[in-house]
């Protein structure tokens, strides 16, 4: 269960990072179109065509809702609820404010892109440091099982007696519980505080 939780957490972080990278690419495509005089909806729809999944579906949803007559401000606020990450909230707020007030959007999106890139760089560095500590923990845990296997293969009779003994079984159970606590603790310590 702990390994599955770790895998799910890793998959979730990878997916969030992918959405952030896609948003940066989307903004990089929108900015020149806006500077050349394209409308916001047109620039958003055109940039979304070159964006991959999962962000493309969400941007297509926004464009469709706006074309159906929904308020752009409400649509972008709903987008930030559908994808609850900081960079998306910043993008959605920027788009909502622009929809209400107007003005030049391209310079503001340049700032949003810069913030998103900076966040990606910091997150990459944090993940790198976390990966080092996780690798160390996994190496220590695997070393314990490797030593137990070597002992079992070298002297099977004493190991079978140890495992079948109530004290030995309790020691093995305590070791597994302590390893689980260590994994949970390491995971809690290594997660960045938001």
């Amino acid at each position: 269960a702990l390994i599955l939780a770790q895998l799910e957490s890793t998959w979730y972080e990878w997916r969030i990072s992918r959405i952030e990278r896609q948003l940066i690419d989307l903004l990089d495509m929108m900015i020149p179109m806006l500077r050349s005089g394209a409308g916001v909806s047109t620039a958003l729809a055109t940039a979304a065509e070159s964006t991959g999944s999962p962000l493309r579906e969400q941007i297509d949803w926004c464009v469709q809702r706006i074309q159906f007559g929904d308020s752009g401000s409400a649509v972008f606020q709903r987008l930030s609820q559908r994808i609850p990450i900081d960079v998306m909230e910043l993008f959605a707020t920027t788009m909502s404010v622009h929809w209400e007030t107007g003005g030049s959007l391209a310079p503001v999106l340049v700032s949003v892109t810069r913030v998103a890139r900076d966040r990606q760089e910091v997150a990459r560095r944090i993940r790198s440091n976390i990966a080092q500590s996780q690798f160390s923990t996994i190496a220590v845990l695997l070393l314990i099982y490797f030593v137990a296997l070597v002992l079992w293969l070298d002297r099977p009779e004493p190991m079978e007696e140890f495992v079948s003994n109530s004290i030995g079984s309790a020691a093995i159970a305590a070791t597994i519980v302590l390893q689980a606590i260590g994994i949970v603790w390491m995971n809690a310590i290594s997660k960045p505080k938001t």
Side-chain angles (χ1 to χ4, degrees):
L2 289 172
I3 291 172
L4 289 176
Q6 291 289 323
L7 290 175
E8 181 185 14
S9 174
T10 302
W11 179 80
Y12 175 77
E13 289 173 13
W14 174 81
R15 192 159 168 94
I16 294 297
S17 177
R18 182 174 176 194
I19 290 171
E20 288 178 353
R21 283 192 310 271
Q22 289 176 337
L23 182 60
I24 291 169
D25 293 341
L26 178 91
L27 293 173
D28 284 340
M29 287 183 273
M30 279 183 67
I31 292 167
M33 287 186 261
L34 292 170
R35 285 183 174 156
S36 67
V40 176
S41 295
T42 305
L44 193 59
T46 305
E49 291 175 5
S50 301
T51 304
S53 183
L55 185 60
R56 180 179 186 162
E57 290 81 13
Q58 300 302 319
I59 299 300
D60 285 343
W61 175 84
C62 288
V63 171
Q64 289 171 359
R65 297 309 314 163
I66 291 169
Q67 288 173 346
F68 288 145
D70 291 353
S71 163
S73 179
V75 167
F76 287 111
Q77 288 307 316
R78 180 74 180 117
L79 176 66
S80 70
Q81 294 169 357
R82 290 170 67 126
I83 306 176
I85 58 176
D86 293 338
V87 174
M88 185 59 71
E89 186 175 336
L90 179 62
F91 170 71
T93 303
T94 301
M95 296 298 287
S96 295
V97 168
H98 171 74
W99 216 270
E100 295 294 324
T101 62
S104 181
L105 182 60
V108 180
L109 290 183
V110 168
S111 299
V112 171
T113 306
R114 188 178 322 113
V115 168
R117 277 201 175 89
D118 291 345
R119 285 183 52 85
Q120 276 268 289
E121 178 62 23
V122 169
R124 186 191 61 77
R125 289 181 185 176
I126 290 171
R127 279 193 305 271
S128 174
N129 290 336
I130 290 171
Q132 292 173 2
S133 67
Q134 288 175 336
F135 179 75
S136 302
T137 304
I138 291 169
V140 169
L141 292 176
L142 292 178
L143 182 63
I144 292 169
Y145 291 106
F146 176 74
V147 169
L149 178 64
V150 169
L151 286 174
W152 188 281
L153 294 175
D154 186 45
R155 298 177 184 221
E157 295 85 17
M159 287 300 291
E160 286 177 13
E161 186 177 324
F162 178 73
V163 171
S164 62
N165 187 336
S166 62
I167 295 175
S169 296
I172 291 171
T175 301
I176 292 171
V177 168
L178 289 173
Q179 286 177 345
I181 291 171
I183 290 171
V184 170
W185 191 4
M186 184 270 309
N187 194 31
I189 289 173
S190 65
K191 283 199 177 181
K193 306 294 185 255
T194 54

